[in-house]
Structures are given as C-alpha cells and as structure tokens.
Amino acid sequence: MRLTFLRIARTAAAVAALPVSLLAQAKELPLKYSGPPTKPEISAGDLMTRLYIYADDSLMGRQFGSEYNVRATAYIEREVRRMGLQPAGDSGGFFQFMPAVKRALDPVSTITAEGLSFKAGTDFLAMSGGKPRQYASTPVVYGGALYDTVNALPNEAVRGKVVLMRNAPLPGNVQQFVQSAGFRAYQQSLNGAVVVLIASEPFTPTQLAAAMNPTSARWRTPAFDNETPIALNVSPKMAEALLGGPLATMAKGTAGKSITSNVQFHDGPGVIRNVVAVLPGSDPKLKGQYVAIGAHNDHIGFRPTPVDHDSVKAYMQVVMPQGADNKAVTPTAEQMAQVNAIKDAAHKLHGGARADSVSNGADDDGSGTVSVLEIAEAFAMGKVKPKRSIVFVWHTGEESGMLGSGWFTDNPTVPRDSIVAQLNMDMVGRGRVTDATGEAKDGSLLHGGPGYLQLVGSRRLSTELGDLVESVNKEQKLGFNFDYNIDANGHPQNIYCRSDHWSYAKWGIPVVFMTTGGHADYHQVTDEPQYIDYDHMADVSRLVFQTALKVGNLDHRVVVDGTKPDPKGRCVQ
C-alpha cells in the first residue's frame, strides 16, 4: 500500500498493554521455504510456495524501476504464460511498458570555487536525477540546519546565491510539519536561491551506486526533462572548503567562496512495466466486457545499512503498532522493558541477532500479487469459466504514487469502458488479533481477528457491487467479518485514495479494495513470508474468485448508482 505521512493518535499504548506472551505467540514459519508445484485449486500451500519466491531476499524489495522489479515481473510473466492466459500488454506480449530512463551523474562533472576543484562521486552527488541549470561565479551563503523553520535566513539573503545547509532530519510528524505555516514560510525564504547544497555524512556505497550507476529507472514524462534538482549533496570536506571552516562553528549567514558548476548527466534505457493477462469469457456476446483483478508488483527496496531484524520487530510491535503509518513516539520505560523481553526471546529462538536490510514486502503487496496469480491459475486451469472475460493486471509503481495503475487506466490495453468492475488486493496476508489494522475515524485502534477483512470503496460507485460481495461471503460460507471503519468519508488515513483501485474508480469503474489492513511490519524489513497467515489469505483469494465469477456471469453490467469522480481531479475519501 502506498505510504502517506499523516496524523496518527497516540494509540500504541493499546498494543503495549498486551502481555508479552500474546505479542510473541503469532505463528512463525521458516525463514526460507521451497514448496511443491502449485495446483489449480486455490490453497494456502500454493500461496506459501509462491510468496516465498516473490518476497525472497534475492528480489531486494522489488522497488519500482529497479532490476529487482524487472526480475519480479519476469516471474509473473512466466507463470501466466505457463497457465495459458492470453497476453494483453504491448505488441502482443504480457508486458505493458511505461516510458522510462536511467539517469546517472556523469563522473566528469565538476564544481569549481576560486581555484578549488571538486569532483562528482567524491565531493558531491546529485541524487534527484534531473538536469540542473548551470551557474557561474555565484556566491555561497551558509543557511544553517536544514528544516530549521525558526531561524531561517531572510529571503533577500539567499536570493541569487548558492545556499549551503547542514543536513538534519525532518522533525516529528512529517505530514503535520510540511503543512505547517512555519514550513511554508521556510520554503518561501529559499525562493530565488540558485541551488541548495546539503552537507551530509560521507557518501555510502549505496548512495554512490544510485547516483553514478543507477539500478532504478525513472518514469519519463515531459516534466522530467525540465526538472532541476532542488539540492546537491556535498561532502563535509567540500562544505568546509567552501565556507573556510567547520560547520559546527559557522555562523548562519556566513559568506563563502563563489562557485561555478559543470554538472552533467547521461541517460540510459530503463524498464518499468505492468503485467497484463486475459482469460477470455465463455459467452460470445459478453466476452468483450471485463472484470479486472489486480495487485501491485512493487515494494520499497532495501536499506543501505542492515539492522537487527528482531529488535525492529519487537520495537514496532510495542511502540509503533501501525508500522510506517504510526507517528514517531518516545517509548516509555515500561514499553522498552517489553521490547527487550520480546527481542531477547527472539534472539534466543534464532541463535542470536539477525542482520536484515531488505524490505521484502511479503504482505505489501506480495500477498496481493501471488493471490492474483493463484486466482488466475484457478480460472485458467479449472473447469469454471465466467461469461465475461477477466483481465489480470499486476501494476507497478504503486508505492511511488499508483503510477502503473494510472498508466494502465489512462492507456488501457482493453477498452476502458468495457471494464465492468475492478477487484483490488493490497495487503491481504495478515489481520490477526495481534495486528493493529488501522484506526477508526475517532482515532481508536482497530485490530484483526478471525475472518477479518477490510472492504474499502465497495459501495462508493455501485451499491450493487458492495451487496454482491456480502452475498458471496454468505453463499460460499467463507466466514468473513467485514470491517468498513477505514472506508468512512473523511477518514484521516485516506485509505480509499492510497492503492490502485483509485485509478479505476476515477474513471467511474466500480471497485472493491480488499485488505486485511495494517500492522507493525508495514514498510519495515520485518514484512516477511514467515509472518503471513496463509489460510486466511487463501480465503480472501476464494472470495475474490467467487466475486469475479459472479460479476462475470451477471445478465447485466454492475449498476453504477454513485457519483462518478472527475478523472483529472484529486481523490477525496
């Protein structure tokens, strides 16, 4: 699920109050597993086999545009080809490509300053990937700490100059900070600066690789060729040379040397792609209509430095039970005692600390991705075929702003008005009672439990579609307890606008977003296959299969009785 920074109430105490035994009792599966070949029937075993492949460390978190996302989509393509589904991507294949480029900082780039010369990769990096405008004999001024909204220099002191700043983290709640009047004033104070230089710690190998020989492609739009970096990262040594002394002793507003830039980039081919496959409908009159089933194939990649897996897991369970959706809080002594007890028990179980740097994305959204594969195999290899066609789409770039689903619905490979509904799965592998699955609109913490599943958007465009999901659950005796709390109008977590179903809903296509909700491992290195509830995930897959089958066999299109949004407008929950 796409991460947004938002206001979260301090409800971690609700989870911290749970006994250590309850927090630690969730079933832990093997760290590595190689399962038998999959079968046509939807099963927990098949899902486990698939997810241990798809969320393995070797795919390094499947970040959008990276070589690892390319490998991940190649796995999906091999599977749908094996199943005998029809390709529905570009040029008769299963892939739908998006315009992409890999842009690297040219190692011949230099910055000079009154007889001094600084080299790309040693003294500075340009991480944003844009094409910076050049500047000559431009004076440097020291702007103090980054994000210091209290003591920002007046705008007239920075206009037309290069502003050198000391790196600092974003303070507190990011969303609250960037929306504050202080931050807006801080941004305005930098208006007219030629460029901002940020003095950082010595560059890591990961930073160097990302700038000089990028492993990730970027989506190329007209704006991409015109954008300029808002900042360059410079080494502490370069910063001190420009200002004539250590930053720790430098007064804000100190004038430095004048500098001239020759910062260049070179472009190479990049690969960014959705995977699209079709199961043709069995009815000659209805096969031109489609039920879409989707999930996102990407995640957030890996950290430059490893952390202790068990320490992270224990801390997030107790202190930040909503993972990356949780506001950063200062733990109490009681909480830290719980954290240490859980961590020590895990270290004893695992024979010591486990270094981990990969955000595997087993739940987000490996669970949705392999569930769509499992459903596709059940349709392709099974005897039951719906009257309407099924289009399966594994979208890329959801974590970067729902880019792949937006590209598909803006540039559909099947007629957009022929898509009668879209069923989206994003994070469908958890939902235990120990999982904090989000918040109700009043800020109270929600938890999972037996048969737990959140439905989002199911009646926003089509009451009939929402009712149909409820009826499938009852008719098939699947035993789900649907939670609609997170779908409330005006909900501050804004989940309706944070996954790929929105790209369909904005065009007036009825959607159902199915998710087991959040948890402490959300966007952490601890989101791994060993913590997934495969039996529950199989039930979700059966619900989607049966819902798609029912929609596919209706004697009419799903009735749209809700207000269609402006496809070019902003999503509002």
Side-chain angles (χ1 to χ4, degrees):
M1 187 186 298
R2 183 189 179 196
L3 172 64
T4 59
F5 294 100
L6 46 111
R7 183 187 63 78
I8 296 295
R10 294 189 62 166
T11 50
V15 169
L18 294 171
V20 171
S21 59
L22 181 59
L23 288 170
Q25 73 180 13
K27 183 179 180 181
E28 184 173 306
L29 296 167
L31 183 63
K32 297 288 184 181
Y33 171 76
S34 180
T38 60
K39 298 178 181 179
E41 301 80 13
I42 293 172
S43 72
D46 280 2
L47 291 166
M48 187 172 172
T49 293
R50 295 186 192 281
L51 191 57
Y52 268 87
I53 294 170
Y54 200 72
D56 187 71
D57 282 352
S58 62
L59 289 181
M60 298 295 288
R62 308 183 306 274
Q63 187 170 29
F64 167 70
S66 70
E67 63 183 281
Y68 306 107
N69 187 259
V70 171
R71 293 182 194 174
T73 52
Y75 165 73
I76 297 170
E77 192 268 351
R78 288 196 301 272
E79 284 292 281
V80 295
R81 186 181 296 279
R82 176 184 64 81
M83 295 172 194
L85 295 177
Q86 291 188 359
D90 298 332
S91 304
F94 287 100
F95 297 121
Q96 183 192 31
F97 293 92
M98 299 163 60
V101 64
K102 285 186 177 180
R103 179 163 288 173
L105 181 62
D106 195 318
V108 303
S109 298
T110 59
I111 293 176
T112 58
E114 301 178 16
L116 301 175
S117 182
F118 305 99
K119 296 181 179 180
T122 301
D123 302 304
F124 66 89
L125 295 176
M127 300 296 291
S128 73
K131 292 182 176 179
R133 56 182 177 270
Q134 307 299 340
Y135 39 93
S137 301
T138 304
V140 171
V141 62
Y142 181 53
L146 198 64
Y147 307 126
D148 183 355
T149 60
V150 177
N151 303 301
L153 288 175
N155 184 249
E156 57 268 20
V158 304
R159 193 179 301 117
K161 297 178 182 178
V162 172
V163 183
L164 174 58
M165 307 189 83
R166 185 177 73 255
N167 197 20
L170 277 163
N173 185 298
V174 176
Q175 183 72 7
Q176 185 177 357
F177 174 69
V178 299
Q179 292 179 348
S180 67
F183 182 70
R184 289 193 293 271
Y186 166 78
Q187 286 183 304
Q188 292 169 1
S189 74
L190 292 173
N191 284 348
V194 174
V195 72
V196 175
L197 306 182
I198 301 174
S200 306
E201 294 300 316
F203 307 132
T204 67
T206 301
Q207 287 176 309
L208 287 167
M212 311 297 290
N213 183 26
T215 58
S216 292
R218 294 192 63 196
W219 188 13
R220 185 167 198 154
T221 65
F224 176 65
D225 286 329
N226 296 323
E227 70 181 49
T228 59
I230 59 170
L232 302 179
N233 293 87
V234 302
S235 68
K237 181 179 179 181
M238 177 175 171
E240 292 179 5
L242 291 176
L243 290 175
L247 299 191
T249 63
M250 201 63 57
K252 187 175 294 188
T254 298
K257 293 179 167 58
S258 293
I259 66 176
T260 297
S261 71
N262 178 30
V263 179
Q264 306 290 342
F265 290 87
H266 57 80
D267 292 349
V271 178
I272 297 175
R273 60 196 188 183
N274 297 323
V275 186
V276 191
V278 164
L279 175 87
S282 60
D283 189 313
K285 294 181 179 179
L286 293 177
K287 67 186 302 181
Q289 297 178 13
Y290 297 85
V291 180
I293 302 176
H296 70 87
N297 61 51
D298 63 310
H299 192 52
I300 61 172
F302 56 93
R303 299 169 54 95
T305 54
V307 292
D308 175 18
H309 178 105
D310 295 324
S311 293
V312 171
K313 188 161 184 66
Y315 185 89
M316 301 305 289
Q317 277 182 294
V318 176
V319 182
M320 299 179 67
Q322 295 187 80
D325 255 359
N326 217 107
K327 179 182 178 181
V329 295
T330 301
T332 65
E334 182 182 0
Q335 285 177 321
M336 286 309 301
Q338 287 184 295
V339 169
N340 289 329
I342 296 171
K343 177 194 68 176
D344 292 345
H347 283 171
K348 185 177 180 180
L349 177 67
H350 300 138
R354 296 187 293 170
D356 197 350
S357 62
V358 178
S359 295
N360 302 73
D363 191 34
D364 185 18
D365 186 29
S367 63
T369 291
V370 301
S371 293
V372 176
L373 277 172
E374 187 75 354
I375 293 162
E377 186 166 41
F379 272 120
M381 304 297 190
K383 296 178 180 179
V384 178
K385 300 291 190 288
K387 295 177 181 179
R388 290 178 175 84
S389 298
I390 309 287
V391 57
F392 302 95
V393 190
W394 291 267
H395 311 100
T396 194
E398 189 268 358
E399 301 289 3
S400 299
M402 299 174 288
L403 300 180
S405 58
W407 182 260
F408 177 77
T409 58
D410 288 350
N411 305 272
T413 60
V414 300
R416 187 170 51 235
D417 61 5
S418 70
I419 302 174
V420 302
Q422 198 263 350
L423 309 176
N424 181 42
M425 288 181 288
D426 190 350
M427 299 174 64
V428 293
R430 297 287 293 263
R432 296 184 178 98
V433 69
T434 49
D435 286 326
T437 59
E439 293 181 358
K441 194 175 179 180
D442 64 6
S444 59
L445 203 61
L446 303 171
H447 284 92
Y452 184 85
L453 187 65
Q454 294 177 0
L455 295 186
V456 179
S458 60
R459 292 186 174 93
R460 288 181 176 269
L461 285 168
S462 172
T463 305
E464 181 183 26
L465 183 58
D467 292 344
L468 188 148
V469 179
E470 291 272 8
S471 68
V472 167
N473 181 42
K474 292 177 182 177
E475 292 166 4
Q476 298 295 322
K477 297 180 173 57
L478 294 171
F480 282 104
N481 296 307
F482 295 133
D483 183 354
Y484 292 96
N485 274 288
I486 212 77
D487 194 32
N489 289 336
H491 195 293
Q493 288 188 295
N494 204 32
I495 298 296
Y496 179 62
C497 301
R498 286 173 56 184
S499 192
D500 291 316
H501 57 277
W502 167 246
S503 297
Y504 294 79
K506 72 180 183 181
W507 289 103
I509 298 169
V511 300
V512 183
F513 174 28
M514 301 184 188
T515 177
T516 50
H519 45 74
D521 298 321
Y522 172 54
H523 279 211
Q524 307 300 315
V525 297
T526 51
D527 184 7
E528 299 214 2
Q530 66 182 125
Y531 305 123
I532 295 297
D533 185 341
Y534 292 97
D535 289 321
H536 190 43
M537 199 163 110
D539 286 337
V540 177
S541 299
R542 293 183 187 105
L543 176 67
V544 174
F545 177 91
Q546 294 294 340
T547 301
L549 183 62
K550 191 154 191 173
V551 174
N553 285 335
L554 287 176
D555 60 4
H556 60 280
R557 290 179 66 124
V558 171
V559 176
V560 177
D561 53 5
T563 303
K564 293 183 179 181
D566 177 1
K568 303 300 181 183
R570 183 175 64 90
C571 180
V572 176
Q573 176 162 328

